Amino acid sequence: MIGCENLNIRDLLVENQTNPMGIDCLEPAFSWSFEESEVRSILQSAYRIMVSAKEENIHEGIGDIWDSGKVDSRRNINVLYKGQDLKSRKRYFWKVQVWDQLGNMTESRPACWEMGFLSQSDWKGKWIQQPINDSSTERPLPLFRHEFIVNKPIDRARLYICGLGQYELRLNGCKVDDRVLDPGWTHYDKACLYSVFDVTSQVNVSSNCIGVMLGNGFYNVTGGRYVKFKGSYGDPKCIVQLEIDYTDGTTEMIFSNTAWLTSPGPITFSCIYGGEDYDARLEQPGWDQPAYTLDESWQHAVEAPSPEGLLKSQKVSPLKIMKTFTASNFKEVKPNVYLVDLGQNFSGWVNLEVKGTAGSSVKITPAELLNPDGTANQTWTGSPYEFNYILKGEETEVWQPKFTYYGFRYLQIEGAVPLGDASEKESLPLLLSVEGEMIYPDLQVGGSFESSDELLNKTHEIINWAILSNMKSLFTDCPHREKLGWLEQVHLMGPAILYNYPVEPLFTKILEDIQDAQLDNGMVPTTAPEYVVFEEPWDIFRHSVSWGATYILVPWMMYQKYGNTRVLQEHYENMKRYVEFILERSENYIVKDGLGDWYDVGPEGPGFAQNTPVPLPETAMFYHIVQVLEQVSSLINRPDDATHYKKIGKEIKDAYNSLFFHPMTGQYATGSQAANAMSLALGLTEDVHKPKVLQNLLDDIHDRGFHTTSGDVAFRFVLLALSQNGRSDIIYRMTRNTDYPSYGYQIEHGATTLTEAWDGPTVGKSQNHFMLGHIEEWLYKDLAGLDYEFDQREEMYKFNFHPSFVKGLDFVRVTHELYTGKVRTEWVKVDQNKYKLLVQIPANGIGYIHLPSCSMETLKEAGYPALETVGVELDRYENGCAILRVSSGLYEFENIQVSMFKEEENEHPTIPNTF
């Protein structure tokens, strides 16, 4: 790498991945990040992207496929390719040059990417399956094998595969990759995902064998035990294509067809909902290696009917075993029945190590909760779900499932005895070890939060355990009972997720799932993929606006946070269709039915909304997405559409206030927290009425002991209404509660992940849901004060630092990793009313820091008067704050004077003076 000392390029990304394979879009997006630097005020002023089909050319600075030329722009994320037409399977090399504001140039190291298949005709392989001779659904899952010979040196080898519903790929006796539960689940009649593997080092210049194990996944839900639904797109099948480029310039292709052989495997039962059974006596050692001696169980595969869905490259990070929990204490809860507490609720499967006689069976029942007698309780998570392993009788046997997973903390083990009890029960297999293996996407953690308040820290932790437990190839509601992609979580929890994890590719996949699920009339169902269709009279579970709103709000979020305009263009027409669907269903702009504020707090227990009329949140969200679509229309130069949606927005607002608002009392509808907060936060309240509505919200929170009554939909807007109006002190007071309903209540009652209901550990329900984790957004955005967006006009990130110096906290610190680099902020209490603030802004970014204006005369930065230091200037005064404009770099402000705090905890809260 060459260039100046201060603006060094760190990472090169194509479609937000490093050196990816299988890119199947015609205009891939390029991004690059910068290394941290203590030097301030570093800006990119221009870039030049070079793309070549030859590595030697890119080293010499020749972009024979695309040379953007020097482009005067600060943009360094989601720059779309504009070169020659890209070709299937082709590898491309690229690098970027950037110039800083002084004209100094930096050049990156070269990187590369490979295209996948740009046409369905690129697939030469055939879909194959095992011969089906009966209608039984209880057949062992199949194995497939194919031998081939390589007799000359290999330059590179790529293997393309889609196995439905899931697969494990093996080559010459070894698993090709450590990913699991592949591919991601989709609307299989619209899209089927394939993956690409670099197997250059695994192909021998001699005899070779490809092996494939197939699982059912969501493609073939057969039942037999617990199921959320039964349904099948067809029997398990796969398509495989291996392409070998030799050093002599020739290419050979090996692909699936009826010459491949298949045999029943040792997995005798597998259901995404019901568990998995494995009979080790049915193993065929060496079946995936060359020169294996076939027996009569092997026969030719048959050509399978192609799935209706098009083959598309899988762009999301693969699922892998990311954490392991080892069992140490075994408690015998019944004769020969042992219970293990892994100490953490998570989603995944078990890893079992046993020793015993052939034919012995071990049964493992995972659970989140326990019955009074200490046994596993699956009441709320789908029963029966179990893992069963039959021993083959070898010295030591190790097993883990392959095609199913569950959410659990406890393991109930029957049929094997721990080491400590072995002498008394010699007839049972010996349990050498059992582990829980947590599965989620292989991606880097993108954020961190820490404070002086351990209850806040623990709240942050349980929310993130729930997010990771439900992050697969989509965001599930729970990792056991349903495993469905309920959509409201994606936009309501989206900002919280973005602070912690780089999920732009996953959001892109979810939008494609929604596109595939959208009905001809424009309706967006509440789940995508839509495996369960709710018919009348339960159709309110299918078309609620706060769920479908994800299709409008997530592309907008991706635009704001990632500078991604492509998703807006790609989904715009379908976004319009959804809004028109709601408009047609509304009555005088009021949406009459839906789920409303699902799981709010009321006397009937969690479930249907109790405190707020369903039409209020449904119509409020309708207004919200129409406002956003108006902005999208303007952004992509659709002025007529923008005018149309502006008019509709006004009509909705007028109808909403006419129906729900009571001017004399300043209350919306029933005066619930949900009703008043959503009206405030979403801009439905006229300015003249805001103080009274806000005061009503404050009064209700105070009168309930600083507890919420809102649920899945409205709690985020309660937090927004308070934080937007300077009342983070009230939010912090709410986080201090340990009685019901609160996060603290869950923690005090043993929750290690966020639960489905506010009183989850005691009421039951799912113990692993992230839908109520909205406080996570407040921890980063308002308490720490870190907010940001990508400014399309300035073509750079703008950061807003507006920390909430709440009474009772000594410090708060957060970090957040963006494509452009790392941003962090930390505030520390020095004495009673004095604070210091650390802020770090990555290169090519600017920040605006909001500080109490009364501290400006004494404010120091790095020991000097703040306004006399490099990179700091006073931008303006606003709402009692001095707003400083700072450029990139690290800043340490001292002597921040907070003259007064809001009311003491036992005093009645009132609206702020600066309203």
Side-chain angles (χ1 to χ4, degrees):
M1 181 168 60
I2 62 173
C4 64
E5 157 182 12
N6 299 328
L7 187 64
N8 289 325
I9 299 168
R10 188 183 66 188
D11 299 316
L12 295 184
L13 304 173
V14 177
E15 290 294 304
N16 311 301
Q17 303 171 68
T18 303
N19 298 331
M21 295 186 295
I23 299 300
D24 60 0
C25 60
L26 300 178
E27 294 185 347
F30 298 100
S31 302
W32 52 93
S33 63
F34 301 106
E35 293 181 358
E36 292 185 38
S37 174
E38 295 183 1
V39 179
R40 296 181 178 178
S41 303
I42 302 175
L43 289 174
Q44 173 186 297
S45 63
Y47 68 79
R48 177 192 176 196
I49 298 172
M50 291 163 281
V51 177
S52 174
K54 297 181 179 179
E55 187 173 7
E56 57 269 26
N57 281 358
I58 210 67
H59 281 287
E60 296 175 6
I62 300 172
D64 55 283
I65 300 298
W66 182 42
D67 189 331
S68 70
K70 185 176 180 181
V71 180
D72 293 330
S73 170
R74 296 192 180 103
R75 191 178 188 96
N76 69 306
I77 62 171
N78 280 312
V79 178
L80 298 184
Y81 172 84
K82 296 296 181 183
Q84 297 179 26
D85 290 346
L86 301 172
K87 301 181 185 301
S88 294
R89 310 177 184 85
K90 185 70 177 176
R91 179 193 290 179
Y92 295 96
F93 302 89
W94 75 289
K95 66 181 176 182
V96 64
Q97 295 173 341
V98 300
W99 285 261
D100 66 14
Q101 71 273 27
L102 301 177
N104 301 307
M105 189 271 282
T106 298
E107 183 175 288
S108 73
R109 296 182 179 90
C112 66
W113 85 91
E114 289 184 20
M115 300 300 291
F117 293 153
L118 298 179
S119 169
Q120 299 296 298
S121 63
D122 289 323
W123 285 95
K124 306 305 178 186
K126 303 297 183 182
W127 284 97
I128 57 173
Q129 66 182 37
Q130 63 179 333
I132 306 300
N133 300 317
D134 59 65
S135 60
S136 172
T137 59
E138 298 183 2
R139 297 183 298 270
L141 290 173
L143 309 175
F144 296 86
R145 71 185 309 272
H146 180 70
E147 289 193 39
F148 62 96
I149 296 174
V150 170
N151 53 24
K152 50 185 176 180
I154 298 170
D155 179 35
R156 68 173 182 171
R158 299 291 185 263
L159 196 152
Y160 305 80
I161 180 172
C162 177
L164 299 175
Q166 295 166 345
Y167 67 89
E168 179 175 292
L169 175 64
R170 306 184 68 81
L171 184 57
N172 296 328
C174 297
K175 188 178 177 184
V176 167
D177 187 88
D178 58 352
R179 65 183 63 193
V180 299
L181 298 173
D182 212 42
W185 41 97
T186 58
H187 284 270
Y188 299 104
D189 55 356
K190 298 289 183 65
C192 301
L193 303 181
Y194 71 87
S195 295
V196 188
F197 298 94
D198 180 353
V199 293
T200 306
S201 63
Q202 294 166 278
V203 176
N204 301 320
V205 183
S206 61
S207 297
N208 295 271
C209 181
I210 299 172
V212 178
M213 305 178 72
L214 286 184
N216 289 313
F218 278 97
Y219 187 76
N220 185 38
V221 182
T222 59
R225 293 181 195 152
Y226 167 75
V227 288
K228 172 66 178 177
F229 68 93
K230 284 183 65 174
S232 178
Y233 290 85
D235 292 300
K237 63 192 67 173
C238 65
I239 186 170
V240 185
Q241 191 158 311
L242 171 62
E243 301 190 6
I244 303 173
D245 295 333
Y246 295 107
T247 56
D248 64 5
T250 61
T251 297
E252 183 178 6
M253 189 180 297
I254 294 102
F255 50 79
S256 53
N257 53 33
T258 55
W260 288 41
L261 300 174
T262 182
S263 173
I267 300 177
T268 57
F269 174 87
S270 183
C271 178
I272 194 70
Y273 285 113
E276 193 159 295
D277 298 347
Y278 189 94
D279 189 341
R281 298 171 301 176
L282 302 178
E283 289 180 347
Q284 302 183 56
W287 70 273
D288 53 358
Q289 298 180 47
Y292 172 69
T293 301
L294 302 174
D295 62 24
E296 66 278 0
S297 70
W298 289 89
Q299 53 188 317
H300 285 283
V302 298
E303 189 168 336
S306 300
E308 292 184 30
L310 298 177
L311 282 160
K312 297 169 60 176
S313 177
Q314 180 164 277
K315 305 173 185 66
V316 296
S317 299
L319 298 177
K320 295 185 179 182
I321 296 167
M322 301 298 291
K323 296 183 186 295
T324 299
F325 303 91
T326 301
S328 55
N329 297 316
F330 297 85
K331 181 180 180 180
E332 191 171 13
V333 291
K334 286 184 177 181
N336 299 333
V337 178
Y338 293 87
L339 197 286
V340 174
D341 181 357
L342 295 170
Q344 176 61 52
N345 196 347
F346 63 96
S347 72
W349 56 39
V350 298
N351 187 299
L352 178 69
E353 186 176 358
V354 292
K355 176 183 178 182
T357 59
S360 301
S361 178
V362 180
K363 175 182 176 180
I364 299 179
T365 304
E368 291 187 322
L369 296 170
L370 300 178
N371 293 310
D373 64 357
T375 56
N377 182 345
Q378 292 183 341
T379 300
W380 304 105
T381 52
S383 177
Y385 182 101
E386 57 197 47
F387 303 115
N388 289 286
Y389 179 78
I390 298 177
L391 282 72
K392 57 190 172 186
E394 293 188 353
E395 187 67 19
T396 299
E397 303 179 39
V398 179
W399 173 74
Q400 61 184 192
K402 294 184 183 297
F403 304 122
T404 188
Y405 75 99
Y406 202 65
F408 61 96
R409 171 177 174 173
Y410 304 99
L411 295 173
Q412 180 177 296
I413 304 168
E414 303 171 60
V417 57
L419 286 170
D421 293 352
S423 60
E424 301 176 9
K425 304 173 182 180
E426 296 181 355
S427 62
L428 293 176
L430 189 62
L431 182 61
L432 301 178
S433 74
V434 62
E435 295 178 330
E437 296 181 329
M438 185 175 184
I439 297 168
Y440 58 86
D442 182 16
L443 45 75
Q444 294 182 344
V445 175
S448 66
F449 170 86
E450 186 182 4
S451 76
S452 59
D453 187 323
E454 284 306 310
L455 188 56
L456 278 186
N457 296 340
K458 187 64 177 176
T459 300
H460 164 75
E461 290 174 12
I462 67 171
I463 291 170
N464 278 273
W465 280 112
I467 291 172
L468 289 175
S469 291
N470 287 286
M471 191 190 300
K472 295 296 183 282
S473 64
L474 46 81
F475 283 106
T476 63
D477 60 326
C478 57
H480 31 60
R481 183 184 73 227
E482 296 197 15
K483 299 178 180 174
L484 299 178
W486 289 92
L487 292 177
E488 92 289 5
Q489 304 175 114
V490 185
H491 76 85
L492 291 167
M493 281 294 294
I497 295 168
L498 292 179
Y499 275 118
N500 289 288
Y501 309 103
V503 291
E504 186 178 4
L506 182 51
F507 277 8
T508 300
K509 192 263 184 184
I510 289 170
L511 293 176
E512 292 173 354
D513 289 339
I514 297 172
Q515 182 182 50
D516 290 343
Q518 189 175 27
L519 275 60
D520 292 340
N521 64 4
M523 190 193 85
V524 171
T526 51
T527 60
E530 190 186 25
Y531 297 135
V532 179
V533 177
F534 295 97
E535 305 287 356
E536 292 184 358
W538 303 109
D539 56 329
I540 59 170
F541 282 96
R542 195 184 188 197
H543 58 61
S544 189
V545 178
S546 294
W547 277 249
T550 288
Y551 202 24
I552 311 292
L553 300 180
V554 166
W556 185 244
M557 194 184 310
M558 294 171 68
Y559 163 76
Q560 291 178 307
K561 300 303 184 184
Y562 294 125
N564 189 331
T565 57
R566 186 172 60 188
V567 291
L568 298 177
Q569 297 278 1
E570 290 178 345
H571 294 278
Y572 178 71
E573 292 301 328
N574 287 334
M575 292 158 67
K576 287 175 55 179
R577 289 176 57 225
Y578 178 54
V579 167
E580 294 303 319
F581 165 79
I582 304 171
L583 186 62
E584 290 176 8
R585 285 188 63 251
S586 68
E587 297 181 21
N588 297 320
Y589 301 99
I590 301 297
V591 182
K592 292 292 187 177
D593 65 357
L595 292 174
D597 190 20
W598 178 251
Y599 260 58
D600 62 355
V601 179
E604 301 300 322
F608 290 99
Q610 303 172 61
N611 305 316
T612 311
V614 164
L616 186 144
E618 296 292 320
T619 306
M621 290 304 298
F622 181 29
Y623 174 74
H624 184 33
I625 64 176
V626 166
Q627 277 203 313
V628 169
L629 194 53
E630 178 195 338
Q631 296 179 76
V632 173
S633 301
S634 295
L635 179 72
I636 65 173
N637 196 28
R638 303 287 187 93
D640 292 343
D641 286 352
T643 300
H644 172 64
Y645 293 121
K646 183 176 182 178
K647 178 180 180 296
I648 291 175
K650 183 181 184 306
E651 298 288 353
I652 298 170
K653 184 174 182 177
D654 290 345
Y656 179 93
N657 282 300
S658 176
L659 180 61
F660 297 119
F661 185 57
H662 308 294
M664 295 298 294
T665 61
Q667 300 277 23
Y668 278 88
T670 57
S672 67
Q673 292 180 23
N676 288 331
M678 292 190 75
S679 304
L680 284 167
L682 294 176
L684 283 153
T685 306
E686 299 293 350
D687 289 346
V688 67
H689 298 301
K690 284 182 180 178
K692 198 167 186 177
V693 177
L694 177 61
Q695 188 62 60
N696 285 332
L697 174 62
L698 294 172
D699 290 347
D700 191 84
I701 293 171
H702 175 269
D703 293 346
R704 297 179 186 275
F706 293 91
H707 289 94
T708 190
T709 58
S710 55
D712 176 21
V713 172
F715 184 56
R716 178 174 184 247
F717 299 106
V718 171
L719 300 177
L720 286 175
L722 293 171
S723 61
Q724 288 169 359
N725 292 292
R727 297 319 302 256
S728 280
D729 60 312
I730 301 299
I731 298 175
Y732 179 62
R733 176 63 184 86
M734 295 169 75
T735 69
R736 308 301 305 139
N737 289 325
T738 55
D739 56 338
Y740 167 75
S742 66
Y743 296 113
Y745 180 88
Q746 297 183 36
I747 294 166
E748 287 287 308
H749 287 82
T752 60
T753 53
L754 191 66
T755 65
E756 182 177 11
W758 283 112
D759 52 351
T762 56
V763 77
K765 309 293 184 182
S766 166
Q767 303 298 296
N768 200 337
H769 254 68
F770 71 97
M771 72 180 188
L772 291 175
H774 310 110
I775 197 71
E776 185 76 0
E777 178 185 3
W778 175 79
L779 295 178
Y780 281 91
K781 179 175 176 288
D782 298 293
L783 185 60
L786 172 58
D787 192 16
Y788 67 93
E789 68 176 20
F790 187 80
D791 188 310
Q792 296 286 345
R793 180 173 297 178
E794 296 291 333
E795 297 185 305
M796 63 192 300
Y797 272 110
K798 287 188 176 180
F799 301 91
N800 267 300
F801 301 93
H802 197 166
S804 299
F805 302 109
V806 298
K807 187 174 183 179
L809 277 174
D810 294 329
F811 74 87
V812 172
R813 66 175 66 100
V814 300
T815 65
H816 180 50
E817 196 73 48
L818 285 164
Y819 293 145
T820 195
K822 179 183 287 187
V823 55
R824 64 183 174 126
T825 183
E826 174 183 355
W827 59 258
V828 179
K829 180 180 178 181
V830 178
D831 60 29
Q832 185 174 2
N833 291 315
K834 187 178 293 185
Y835 291 79
K836 65 178 181 181
L837 175 69
L838 180 147
V839 165
Q840 180 178 341
I841 300 171
N844 205 34
I846 59 170
Y848 293 87
I849 302 175
H850 300 242
L851 296 174
S853 58
C854 60
S855 66
M856 288 308 298
E857 293 183 1
T858 58
L859 184 67
K860 302 287 186 181
E861 197 285 305
Y864 296 94
L867 297 182
E868 298 178 13
T869 57
V870 174
V872 180
E873 61 183 65
L874 179 63
D875 188 74
R876 66 190 187 278
Y877 288 97
E878 186 176 279
N879 293 333
C881 287
I883 301 177
L884 307 180
R885 186 185 189 277
V886 295
S887 53
S888 66
L890 179 65
Y891 299 85
E892 296 184 59
F893 294 96
E894 299 175 294
N895 293 336
I896 300 171
Q897 301 286 340
V898 179
S899 60
M900 62 176 292
F901 289 98
K902 302 292 191 301
E903 302 84 355
E904 295 296 325
E905 293 178 357
N906 61 345
E907 292 183 353
H908 200 287
T910 57
I911 60 173
N913 294 330
T914 56
F915 192 92

